[in-house]
Amino acid sequence: MRLMQIKTEAGERAVVATVPSGAGERSYIVPGYKTVYALAKAAIAAKTGIESMVEKASVGATEEVDRAALLASGRVLAPIDHEDPAHLLITGTGLTHLGSASARDAMHKAPDEAEVLTDSMKMFRMGLENGKPAAGQQGVQPEWFYKGDGALLVGPGQPLTAPSFAQDGGEEPEVAGIYIVGDDGQPYRIGFALANEFSDHIMERVNYLYLAHSKLRPCSVGPELLVGALPDDVRGRSRIHRGDKVIFDEPFLSGEANMSHTLANLEYHHFKYDFFRRPGQVHVHTYGTATLSVAFGVKTEPGDVFDIESEAFGLALKNPLAFAKEEKVSVTQL
């Protein structure tokens, strides 16, 4: 099952479920719920899963929709949000995928340091050695970073806007886990979605201690949210369109078969902090990638369109690149 959040023709919000039907799929509006957040809260209260809640609510549902047409009309929203953006946190992990260390290692290594292990490579090796512990045990903690709150969450088709001082606007095709924290402080995974963990790789190349700065950017998620288990082997493509040309087209891999950490280990090391278990919080937690256009020498430009797709997630996630106008910022003494 996959879920979307949309705006109806009447300007209201609605949740769309897509389920197998015969040889194809059926997409319909889920009665009684305007947001995935409300659906998740109801599932927690009922002590059941999202799929069960959707199936129960959808008995006799007849309002079918065309997902592709909704996306083309600009009526598809990010598949999760919060009415108070401050209560949605966007975070992520890096150096978690097999092959992910090579591009990062090259960013931070001088030409005469060919045999020197960078901190990035050391971190990656730590994951290879102890990122997949036995069930019930904790492995090594991954690299972790903060991107922002719900104000930086961007929906499908909306621009990923880099600040005026950015040196680069680069895509990162990833899978994100979507979580909600129950009233009892228990984190629940709602599902998974495609994400473009938009970053500034040129800034990061200056010094890896600039990683935190490079990540303070918007993040796009969606269009659809996959409910249930993440496939062990996720395969997709990351493309960049410039006008009528495709200037970048490479495969990306995710899922535990292609990772140096288990999802359970990544989740533990995120939610072990009690301030990430505050009731009502929503978490969009990206799991990392090994495919970056910057590693292939691509220099993005305003108007380029990022296009990330994977069959497991339904519709592709597309966002144009934009740059904000320069702002003069100063602090006023009170």
Side-chain angles (χ1 to χ4, degrees), residues 133-156:
Q137 297 183 13
Q138 284 77 54
V140 67
Q141 62 185 5
E143 176 192 41
W144 182 97
F145 58 84
Y146 172 75
K147 280 195 72 67
D149 65 18
L152 292 178
L153 186 66
V154 173

Side-chain angles (χ1 to χ4, degrees), residues 42 51 102 128 133 184 205 208 263 265 278 329:
E51 284 199 52
S102 57
L128 288 177
D184 59 353
R205 273 180 176 167
Y208 74 93
L263 296 184
N265 194 51
R278 288 177 286 179
V329 179

